Amino acid sequence: MTTTFLRLTVACLLTALALPAMAEKADREKPINIEADRVSLDDIAKVQIFEGNVVLIQGTLQLRTNRLVVTQDADGFQKGVATGGARGLAYFRQKREGKDDYIEGEAERIEHDAREEHTQFFIRAWVKNGDDEVKGQYISYNALTEKYLVTTGSGEQRSAVGTQQARVRAIIQPKKKGEETPDKTAPLSLRPSDTVRP
């Protein structure tokens, strides 16, 4: 099986499952709180650089990283690039819209485009959505279309015996069937039978 075919197969599988993970919409209206060891601001170029134990919180959204660079376009939309952090990974977590669970992930680099609502995880990437999770060298998630793409990158990862690993990993939990519980307090409604004749 070729690497390209494997990538397409996994991408199609994850897209078909549509792992729903719309981010909490109320977060957009919340203030952004950022802590860091150092801050550098360039108001003319609209670039903000936060370095050293960076913690960003906006509503239910949390980002923990070593370095965060935020740029803003002419329309006020922001792009952020988070690199490093604890264990060399940047960490992201946010509550899902209308759910009691979270989408979370980590990677050596995380890029988020607020205009497109598109998040990309690069190198040693891991994303958990509810009870489902995926791992690969690259993960792309579009919150507008609710689609994932997971690839192995260049196949540089090595297994315990030293051979190249050209595979992504996914754990997809079975969906629980929606069992409707009858309302025992509702009155019974009677109607004539179709099979009994007078």
Side-chain angles (χ1 to χ4, degrees):
M1 186 181 298
T2 67
T3 302
T4 304
F5 178 75
L6 179 64
R7 288 179 187 171
L8 291 173
T9 302
V10 171
C12 291
L13 171 67
L14 293 175
T15 301
L17 293 172
L19 301 170
M22 288 295 286
E24 183 77 28
K25 291 178 184 174
D27 287 347
R28 296 179 196 152
E29 307 302 321
K30 303 281 174 67
I32 299 172
N33 298 295
I34 301 177
E35 293 181 10
D37 294 338
R38 289 171 301 286
V39 177
S40 172
L41 305 173
D42 184 338
D43 283 337
I44 295 173
K46 302 289 186 202
V47 177
Q48 304 166 358
I49 301 172
F50 303 88
E51 296 177 289
N53 300 313
V54 181
V55 178
L56 179 148
I57 297 175
Q58 183 181 22
T60 67
L61 181 143
Q62 292 181 29
L63 179 67
R64 297 179 186 279
T65 187
N66 190 50
R67 187 170 195 265
L68 175 64
V69 178
V70 179
T71 57
Q72 183 174 312
D73 66 18
D75 295 326
F77 288 99
Q78 296 179 333
K79 289 183 181 180
V81 178
T83 52
R87 302 181 334 269
L89 301 174
Y91 174 78
F92 168 88
R93 183 176 195 250
Q94 188 171 26
K95 186 177 181 297
R96 293 171 60 197
E97 178 67 27
K99 304 282 184 183
D100 287 331
D101 55 6
Y102 289 76
I103 180 169
E104 60 184 316
E106 59 186 16
E108 289 185 20
R109 186 173 85 247
I110 300 174
E111 296 184 7
H112 178 72
D113 183 335
R115 179 189 290 273
E116 303 293 327
E117 292 195 37
H118 183 224
T119 305
Q120 299 177 86
F121 299 81
F122 297 88
I123 308 171
R124 293 193 288 159
W126 165 81
V127 173
K128 183 177 181 189
N129 178 1
D131 292 328
D132 300 333
E133 61 183 277
V134 291
K135 292 180 183 179
Q137 286 295 86
Y138 171 78
I139 300 173
S140 170
Y141 174 68
N142 186 314
L144 295 176
T145 61
E146 295 188 17
K147 291 183 181 178
Y148 283 88
L149 171 66
V150 185
T151 69
T152 59
S154 60
E156 294 172 0
Q157 248 181 333
R158 302 264 175 191
S159 70
V161 294
T163 58
Q164 283 191 345
Q165 288 184 308
R167 301 176 65 78
V168 299
R169 305 264 189 259
I171 300 172
I172 302 167
Q173 300 295 332
K175 302 299 177 204
K176 296 177 183 171
K177 293 182 180 179
E179 295 178 15
E180 293 184 14
T181 308
D183 184 3
K184 294 181 180 178
T185 61
L188 293 175
S189 59
L190 300 175
R191 60 182 179 85
S193 169
D194 296 329
T195 57
V196 178
R197 299 200 185 268

